[in-house]
Amino acid sequence: MTASAETSGIANLEPLNRAREQRAWNWYDWANSAFYTTILTVLFGPFMITVAGKAAGCGSDPDDTCTQTVNVLGLHLAAGSLPSYLTSFATILSAFLLPVVGAFVDRATNKKLHMAAFAWAGSFFAALLFFMRGDHWQLGAFAVIMSSILGGCSLVSYYAILVDISSEDERDRVSSRGWAWGYLGGGLLLAINLVMVLGYDSLGISKELAVRLSMLSAAIWWAAFTIIPFRRLRAHPPRHVVPSSGTLMQRSFGQLVVTLKELRQFPMTLTFLVAYLFYNDGIQTVIYSASIYGSKELHFGQSVLIGAILLIQFVAFGGALFFGRLAARHGAYKSLLWGTFAWMVIVVVAMFLPDRNIPLFLVVGVAIGVVLGGTQALSRSFFSLLIPRGREGEYFALYNACERGTSWFGTLLFGVMFQLTGSYRPAIVSLIVFFLLGAFFLLRLDPRRGIREAGNVVPQVV
């Protein structure tokens, strides 16, 4: 065999190597989804309202809305709005921290190490939620802020790795499968937690302890399954080296300034980021507020709420794969636009849901599941095409500042609307403004131009 043939044979193994890494990469979606599903989406919001409500002097009935206030650094905040404000605060901090993390990731020779380190630190703080009990809400507030920020930091490296392990034509498929795998993992743990929360009597424990153990299990799940991608992913060298001087923090903040200035040279990338900021804030707030809305406004018990979220998880598994196929046929851009229109319909219908009507509530849950996985997966893969080569960490950091579980415009509006009206119905329908603005900016986007300006290969179908 000639040397050229040997070289050719070795080169032909690269698609197989990418496929192995893509399978390993999926496991981090599986790992971190437990935190976002069990803790942020289902259990933390209602449990924090109950715990803070006790401190505020609200009634003992968990189905009653609580408008009494607790003192947070001199501010009097309604206990019913406290989870929304905590999420907003975590995201404001992330907006300053994540771009610095991204600049560091682009210079790193081992992105998977940074991903795992942030994940394990985040899971540690998430585990502290186990100690939130009675009327002691302060530790839980601190823990959820820290775990949310660190989770966002881990996703900066995780998303940047997507570019290292897939070609432009593979991105939609790889990203969709990752999201689908995440929904499957998050749904599986949620099913286990459903058994624990609903069957606490048979287990000989209190409902409060069942909720706390469920949140602890999500933290352990997050930490344990992160080991798989950490061990199986390869270390990829930086794709872009920026001459630098000064300390690490000076280089990182300096690069952040450069990134923000250079972003104006990529108008389509900037347009998509603005669109994503709005429609993703709407998506994240719908996901975050679903359990609060169902519990406090529609007066469903915890079993119905967890069952509905579990349904959404498994429907979203199929929805992510469906949107991946839709993108293969019609392109990620059009699929995202159609998904944004579907979200507008969902929030309007949700406002008019009657109290305690389980079938209609589950129908809306199915609709959410279908578009949820698809819009999130395609947003990630489509944005990767708009990033200048070698700048994935920096740009995904900006992207991640408004990623799942860290939106703040939406949660802030949701909390303020409740505080002004005392009802979650106007709070939920007010979110339509984010989808309208998202669609407006998407319609101003030329995807092919944006991909070419970033120096990437335009896929066969965009």
Side-chain angles (χ1 to χ4, degrees):
M1 181 180 293
T2 65
S4 61
E6 290 179 357
T7 302
S8 177
I10 293 173
N12 288 336
L13 295 177
E14 187 58 29
L16 295 177
N17 292 332
R18 287 205 309 269
R20 282 194 291 269
E21 286 202 280
Q22 289 163 9
R23 289 192 293 270
W25 183 80
N26 290 342
W27 279 102
Y28 190 65
D29 256 315
W30 173 285
N32 74 76
S33 289
F35 168 71
Y36 290 101
T37 301
T38 291
I39 294 179
L40 291 189
T41 303
V42 179
L43 295 179
F44 175 75
F47 188 57
M48 172 57 81
I49 290 174
T50 299
V51 174
K54 291 179 182 178
C58 295
S60 59
D61 187 349
D63 290 332
D64 289 341
T65 55
C66 181
T67 57
Q68 299 298 317
T69 62
V70 291
N71 190 309
V72 182
L73 301 177
L75 300 175
H76 294 281
L77 305 179
S81 296
L82 186 58
S84 300
Y85 291 135
L86 291 174
T87 303
S88 300
F89 180 68
T91 307
I92 292 171
L93 287 180
S94 296
F96 290 98
L97 295 176
L98 293 186
V100 179
V101 173
F104 179 71
V105 165
D106 282 333
R107 295 179 171 86
T109 58
N110 197 343
K111 296 184 182 72
K112 69 173 186 177
L113 175 61
H114 298 95
M115 177 194 74
F118 284 124
W120 290 326
S123 63
F124 167 78
F125 283 102
L128 294 181
L129 292 170
F130 174 77
F131 300 101
M132 184 172 66
R133 58 187 302 179
D135 61 356
H136 302 294
W137 56 269
Q138 293 89 345
L139 176 62
F142 174 73
V144 80
I145 289 172
M146 292 301 299
S147 56
S148 295
I149 292 173
L150 289 165
C153 291
S154 72
L155 291 176
V156 171
S157 295
Y158 177 60
Y159 289 177
I161 292 171
L162 172 63
V163 179
D164 292 331
I165 64 172
S166 61
S167 66
E168 286 87 348
D169 284 309
E170 293 173 333
R171 299 280 168 79
D172 292 336
R173 174 179 57 81
V174 174
S175 184
S176 295
R177 288 184 178 180
W179 275 106
W181 197 238
Y183 283 118
L184 187 61
L188 177 61
L189 181 63
L190 186 58
I192 297 172
N193 290 330
L194 172 63
V195 173
M196 183 184 302
V197 171
L198 296 181
Y200 66 92
D201 275 335
S202 61
L203 296 174
I205 59 178
S206 66
K207 186 175 182 179
E208 178 187 274
L209 180 57
V211 172
R212 291 164 54 217
L213 286 172
S214 295
M215 292 193 291
L216 179 62
S217 72
I220 295 172
W221 180 287
W222 184 9
F225 282 106
T226 298
I227 296 173
I228 297 176
F230 175 68
R231 290 181 61 87
R232 295 183 182 177
L233 286 170
R234 293 182 293 175
H236 294 270
R239 294 155 58 94
H240 176 70
V241 179
V242 179
S244 57
S245 60
T247 66
L248 173 62
M249 294 303 292
Q250 289 172 335
R251 295 196 304 267
S252 297
F253 276 108
Q255 188 57 45
L256 170 60
V257 174
V258 172
T259 301
L260 294 175
K261 289 182 178 179
E262 290 184 352
L263 190 57
R264 292 177 295 182
Q265 300 175 18
F266 304 100
M268 296 299 100
T269 305
L270 179 59
T271 300
F272 178 77
L273 271 177
V274 174
Y276 180 74
L277 169 68
F278 286 115
Y279 75 73
N280 185 68
D281 273 355
I283 293 172
Q284 295 304 322
T285 310
V286 170
I287 298 170
Y288 157 81
S289 63
S291 58
I292 296 175
Y293 186 72
S295 172
K296 306 302 180 181
E297 189 66 44
L298 302 182
H299 304 106
F300 291 122
Q302 193 73 8
S303 59
V304 174
L305 297 174
I306 296 180
I309 299 299
L310 185 60
L311 172 67
I312 291 172
Q313 286 293 117
F314 289 113
V315 172
F317 168 77
L321 297 178
F322 168 74
F323 266 76
R325 296 188 182 96
L326 194 66
R329 175 172 297 184
H330 301 285
Y333 171 71
K334 288 182 180 178
S335 301
L336 281 173
L337 192 58
W338 296 337
T340 305
F341 293 146
W343 279 110
M344 296 181 199
V345 176
I346 287 171
V347 295
V348 172
V349 172
M351 180 188 181
F352 295 102
L353 284 176
D355 289 2
R356 305 181 190 277
N357 191 313
I358 296 178
L360 289 180
F361 185 62
L362 294 181
V363 168
V364 172
V366 169
I368 289 175
V370 170
V371 296
L372 174 61
T375 50
Q376 291 183 317
L378 295 184
S379 295
R380 178 169 66 185
S381 58
F382 180 66
F383 182 66
S384 73
L385 300 173
L386 301 174
I387 299 174
R389 286 183 175 274
R391 311 290 290 279
E392 293 81 19
E394 298 169 37
Y395 280 78
F396 268 126
L398 296 175
Y399 173 92
N400 195 271
C402 47
E403 176 54 279
R404 60 181 180 178
T406 54
S407 63
W408 68 278
F409 287 127
T411 53
L412 183 62
L413 177 62
F414 187 83
V416 169
M417 287 297 292
F418 170 76
Q419 185 143 358
L420 292 176
T421 66
S423 171
Y424 288 110
R425 291 186 185 273
I428 198 72
V429 79
S430 68
L431 301 179
I432 194 173
V433 67
F434 296 102
F435 300 114
L436 287 169
L437 289 170
F440 170 78
F441 285 102
L442 280 177
L443 289 170
R444 297 176 61 86
L445 175 65
D446 182 343
R448 292 184 177 274
R449 173 189 165 189
I451 296 170
R452 286 194 297 266
E453 288 177 345
N456 295 312
V457 177
V458 179
Q460 294 182 359
V461 182
V462 180

